[in-house]
Amino acid sequence: MKNLSVDDVRDSMPLFRSGCGGATPTSAHQLIFSKCNVHRACELNELWHSRFPKIDWSNVVRNKDYICFVAEHDAIAYVSAIWSSPIAANRLKEGATSLELRRMAIAGDAPPNTASRMLGWMRRYIVKHLPHITLLISYQDTDVHEGTIYKASGWNSVSRGRGTSWSNNKRKRNKEQSMSDKVRWEYRILKEDRV
């Protein structure tokens, strides 16, 4: 992977400033949310994610469904998110119509409530543009998060599992980035969400 400067990845238009002077936003309401390409989302994730900085773009795009987002202020990124078909879709009753939040990474200088605002915006976008999706899921690492962003955004905690290895006798995987217990959160998309 190439060596990245934080400024190279965060700044989407270095030559065309909007005139805000590059000031750090003080409110999540100042952020502009949009789709972004998988490469940029993975690079931003590598800069900011506290537990899972590594995710290869090819692990995202080989899924049936995937979509990536960024939130910016004055063309500077403050949060990125990567969604795809669930990793364990075959174990889920609604695996074919679910979308998993694989990563959401937030810059240290992002304004308060950025995560909850981003979750809400992404949910509305997915409801509108991916009508076949019926369930959103995400996994919380219990060693570093309390699930506050999901609670604040109307998600439900549905299960808690012990951290286990993806490796087994038949297939060796890369070393795990975390073996912490995980909580699965879900947001069911209802008919009234689609109005």
Side-chain angles (χ1 to χ4, degrees):
M1 179 173 231
K2 65 182 180 176
N3 291 330
L4 299 172
S5 159
V6 172
D7 292 335
D8 292 341
V9 178
R10 287 188 76 180
D11 197 340
S12 64
M13 297 190 306
L15 298 177
F16 304 100
R17 260 313 126 234
S18 69
C20 295
T24 302
T26 56
S27 167
H29 291 279
Q30 294 174 277
L31 299 174
I32 305 296
F33 302 94
S34 63
K35 281 177 47 180
C36 73
N37 72 52
V38 68
H39 300 286
R40 185 167 190 226
C42 289
E43 290 171 348
L44 290 169
N45 181 78
E46 187 173 341
L47 289 175
W48 301 325
H49 204 283
S50 63
R51 295 291 269 188
F52 302 106
K54 294 181 169 80
I55 185 169
D56 191 274
W57 67 271
S58 65
N59 274 335
V60 177
V61 301
R62 67 178 172 214
N63 289 280
K64 175 185 158 216
D65 291 305
Y66 75 91
I67 190 163
C68 300
F69 299 103
V70 66
E72 299 176 310
H73 173 70
D74 198 25
I76 301 293
Y78 288 89
V79 60
S80 73
I82 301 167
W83 295 79
S84 77
S85 301
I87 293 173
N90 61 332
R91 298 180 194 169
L92 298 172
K93 184 178 175 184
E94 295 175 70
T97 60
S98 296
L99 205 59
E100 179 181 340
L101 177 57
R102 300 269 304 273
R103 302 286 193 278
M104 184 160 69
I106 302 171
D109 57 348
N113 305 315
T114 293
S116 296
R117 188 151 168 79
M118 181 78 161
L119 274 177
W121 185 88
M122 292 186 298
R123 176 183 46 81
R124 290 186 295 275
Y125 186 96
I126 290 166
V127 165
K128 182 176 181 181
H129 296 281
L130 298 171
H132 65 285
I133 299 298
T134 60
L135 185 68
L136 304 177
I137 63 172
S138 186
Y139 294 89
Q140 164 207 340
D141 185 318
T142 59
D143 280 353
V144 291
H145 298 291
E146 296 183 22
T148 307
I149 63 168
Y150 300 109
K151 290 176 200 168
S153 300
W155 290 54
N156 295 305
S157 169
V158 295
S159 67
R160 183 182 181 111
R162 294 190 56 95
T164 58
S165 176
W166 284 85
S167 292
N168 57 41
N169 293 338
K170 296 178 182 177
R171 186 171 181 187
K172 288 287 182 198
R173 302 279 183 127
N174 292 336
K175 185 178 183 313
E176 289 79 9
Q177 295 179 63
S178 169
M179 290 291 289
S180 300
D181 290 356
K182 307 291 187 289
V183 174
R184 187 170 86 214
W185 291 84
E186 293 182 352
Y187 186 95
R188 178 157 308 283
I189 298 173
L190 305 172
K191 287 180 184 177
E192 49 267 25
D193 291 324
R194 300 204 186 276
V195 178

